[in-house]
Amino acid sequence: MATNIGMMDGAYFVGRSEILSWINTTLHLSLSKVEEACSGAVHCQLMDSVHPGMVPMHKVNFDAKNEYEMIQNYKVLQDVFNKLKITKHIEVSKLVKGRPLDNLEFMQWMKRYCDSVNGGGHNYNPLERREASKGGREVGKKSAPQQSSTKGSSAAPRPSSSHSRRNNNDVPSSTNPSNQSAKASTKPTTSIAAYDEQITELKLSVDSLEKERDFYFAKLRDIEILCQTPEIEDSPIIAAIKKILYATDGDASVVTEAQAMVALHSKEAEALSPIAEASEEKSSSEIQKRKNILNSDVDAAGIITLSPRQRLTDASDVHCSGSPLMTY
């Protein structure tokens, strides 16, 4: 039993026509759009079909038109989820708006869940279960004539074809305009259905683009908040990121300028690193040692170059200065 399904699961690639066929077959309804189930009543009965007796159908309102009435249906659905320990999050605020993409995704999840429940949906009478709900009988009455009309419409043209053949044999000229008008009347209905299909597809694509836009906008907003942290706000890297965030659409060189800022900061950091300072101190100490060694070598060389008389006078001076004076 799958409760948490990833967005890349095959359940989210099921088409709208398959979803509508599954709903109408399971609950004996005649929905033409997925967003017609935005009231939440259909979801409640789908859960009732796989878990009989778990959903209090007397609390479900199939006649819900306002958002506060729809929210009551989703509260019933949430209670059922809690009893079954289903952790699926219900985005009620989006579903009640009747947006096609949100309702399609949630209904795709419902189908995936109902298919994963073993033994669900067998010997289930949706019309009988729906009678306890508010507006359930009216929904059943609407769906039943439409289903019967579709069956009768397929059988009705057979006897009329024989009569039309006889009329064509009798008065062929008079029947041709009526046939042409009938064919012409069917063209607008087919074109309207095609336009409705295109409009629905465009709504789905717009909803998908809006969701993707909101996702990336939230990411950029998180990055902006992080860059405003006082501890790192003055960093050159943060300044480069802000330059990209606040750049205008026509500024194509903003990335190059940001990279130059980061490269300049890295060079300055290398020049002021402790390793460079230690190397400078080491080189200065070595230079000082070399100077001391050179000075000692110069003094020794000077002593060696003195004449014997200078050495004797120096020694006598040292002797006289070192002995005490004699008094007579």
Side-chain angles (χ1 to χ4, degrees):
M1 184 184 303
T3 57
N4 290 326
I5 304 172
M7 289 301 296
M8 297 306 296
D9 190 89
Y12 291 103
F13 294 94
V14 179
R16 291 182 297 107
S17 59
E18 185 176 351
I19 293 292
L20 289 172
S21 177
W22 168 68
I23 296 172
N24 294 331
T25 303
T26 305
L27 303 183
H28 294 178
L29 294 174
S30 57
L31 300 181
S32 58
K33 297 180 181 179
V34 178
E35 54 268 28
E36 292 178 2
C38 64
S39 66
V42 174
H43 303 88
C44 291
Q45 191 169 13
L46 288 172
M47 292 299 296
D48 184 69
S49 66
V50 294
H51 298 287
M54 183 66 68
V55 181
M57 293 300 294
H58 63 281
K59 295 183 179 180
V60 180
N61 184 6
F62 279 88
D63 197 23
K65 298 294 187 297
N66 300 317
E67 289 189 5
Y68 69 89
E69 295 175 333
M70 299 178 184
I71 291 173
Q72 295 300 321
N73 289 334
Y74 285 107
K75 286 183 178 180
V76 176
L77 183 64
Q78 186 64 61
D79 292 338
V80 175
F81 279 13
N82 295 335
K83 292 178 182 178
L84 297 173
K85 296 181 180 180
I86 298 174
T87 58
K88 172 67 175 176
H89 176 64
I90 305 174
E91 296 182 350
V92 180
S93 59
K94 294 181 179 180
L95 294 175
V96 296
K97 299 296 183 181
R99 299 175 64 177
L101 182 62
D102 296 323
N103 282 272
L104 176 62
E105 288 180 354
F106 190 66
M107 195 59 75
Q108 286 170 339
W109 180 91
M110 289 290 298
K111 185 178 186 305
R112 176 72 171 82
Y113 175 80
C114 294
D115 292 342
S116 65
V117 177
N118 296 324
H122 299 293
N123 299 325
Y124 180 75
N125 190 347
L127 298 177
E128 183 179 353
R129 290 289 296 166
R130 206 158 47 231
E131 288 181 357
S133 304
K134 182 180 179 181
R137 294 182 179 180
E138 287 74 9
V139 174
K141 290 178 181 178
K142 291 178 182 179
S143 60
Q146 290 180 359
Q147 291 177 356
S148 61
S149 62
T150 54
K151 294 180 180 178
S153 61
S154 61
R158 293 180 180 177
S160 62
S161 61
S162 60
H163 292 289
S164 62
R165 290 177 182 175
R166 294 176 183 176
N167 293 328
N168 288 332
N169 292 329
D170 296 336
V171 187
S173 60
S174 61
T175 55
N176 288 332
S178 62
N179 292 333
Q180 292 177 356
S181 61
K183 291 180 180 179
S185 62
T186 57
K187 289 182 179 179
T189 58
T190 56
S191 61
I192 291 173
Y195 287 139
D196 290 339
E197 187 75 16
Q198 292 179 0
I199 291 171
T200 304
E201 293 292 337
L202 290 174
K203 287 181 178 179
L204 289 173
S205 62
V206 169
D207 291 341
S208 179
L209 292 173
E210 288 180 353
K211 183 177 289 187
E212 186 176 2
R213 177 203 63 189
D214 296 340
F215 173 79
Y216 287 110
F217 180 80
K219 293 294 182 184
L220 292 174
R221 178 55 182 159
D222 294 339
I223 294 173
E224 184 181 20
I225 294 172
L226 180 63
C227 292
Q228 294 173 354
T229 306
E231 290 80 6
I232 62 174
E233 186 176 6
D234 298 330
S235 173
I237 297 177
I238 299 299
I241 295 174
K242 286 183 178 180
K243 190 173 185 63
I244 296 175
L245 285 176
Y246 301 141
T248 58
D249 295 337
D251 193 358
S253 62
V254 61
V255 178
T256 305
E257 294 177 0
Q259 290 175 348
M261 293 171 63
V262 175
L264 180 62
H265 170 65
S266 61
K267 290 180 180 179
E268 292 177 353
E270 290 177 358
L272 300 176
S273 63
I275 298 174
E277 293 177 358
S279 62
E280 289 179 359
E281 293 177 357
K282 186 176 180 181
S283 61
S284 62
S285 63
E286 289 179 354
I287 293 171
Q288 187 65 32
K289 287 180 181 179
R290 290 177 182 177
K291 288 181 179 180
N292 295 332
I293 293 170
L294 290 173
N295 292 332
S296 61
D297 292 339
V298 170
D299 294 338
I303 293 171
I304 293 170
T305 56
L306 289 175
S307 62
R309 184 177 292 177
Q310 289 176 342
R311 292 179 188 176
L312 182 60
T313 55
D314 292 340
S316 62
D317 292 339
V318 172
H319 178 70
C320 293
S321 61
S323 61
L325 296 173
M326 300 296 291
T327 57
Y328 296 97

